[in-house]
Amino acid sequence: MSKIYIRNPWAQLIVDGKKTIETAAFNLPDRFINKWLHVQTENKMVIGKVKFKATKRYATAETFDSDTTAHCVGEGSPYHFRQRQRCFGWVVGAAVAFKAPRKAAAFKSQFRLEQ
């Protein structure tokens, strides 16, 4: 299964079902839509899995702020719409937290494809 790198606390919020939109400065590649991805954090742990069902591009701070309860990014955050040149939302279709985190190798890009 492919992996996606997401920093905590957002990764944990996603696998726990409390964050239903992940924000990013780029659009989620189509090949990852409706595919299960292991969620790996900065401490080299896989904590669950997520399946994104859609993406959207935020065009204004107002539309971004209207989804605050879904993406959990407040106005003072460095990840807020106003701090980025582009801002996308990856809509979570399903997520599962593992009962016990699994150790994983580090990787530097956002995604890693597994064979």
Side-chain angles (χ1 to χ4, degrees):
M1 182 179 301
S2 297
K3 294 180 194 172
I4 183 169
Y5 171 83
I6 302 174
R7 292 182 183 165
N8 266 320
W10 302 281
Q12 193 66 53
L13 291 171
I14 288 171
V15 299
D16 288 344
K18 296 175 183 171
K19 179 176 164 88
T20 56
I21 297 176
E22 170 65 352
T23 62
F26 59 93
N27 202 10
L28 182 70
D30 287 341
R31 69 183 179 272
F32 296 117
I33 299 289
N34 291 315
K35 304 283 185 197
W36 283 108
L37 302 169
H38 279 148
V39 177
Q40 183 171 330
T41 64
E42 65 276 10
N43 63 353
K44 301 179 193 169
M45 300 301 286
V46 175
I47 61 169
K49 61 184 181 177
V50 64
K51 185 187 292 187
F52 296 103
K53 67 180 179 179
T55 63
K56 59 180 171 178
R57 183 166 187 174
Y58 291 105
T60 67
E62 292 74 27
T63 58
F64 183 85
D65 289 341
S66 71
D67 281 346
T68 297
T69 57
H71 58 59
C72 307
V73 179
E75 191 166 342
S77 171
Y79 304 107
H80 189 271
F81 176 88
R82 288 187 176 91
Q83 305 303 318
R84 296 179 166 180
Q85 292 181 1
R86 295 182 319 242
C87 191
F88 294 87
W90 306 346
V91 182
V92 175
V96 176
F98 294 154
K99 291 181 182 175
R102 304 170 186 172
K103 193 75 173 154
F107 62 98
K108 296 182 182 186
S109 66
Q110 186 78 28
F111 304 98
R112 174 183 281 167
L113 299 175
E114 300 290 320
Q115 298 299 340

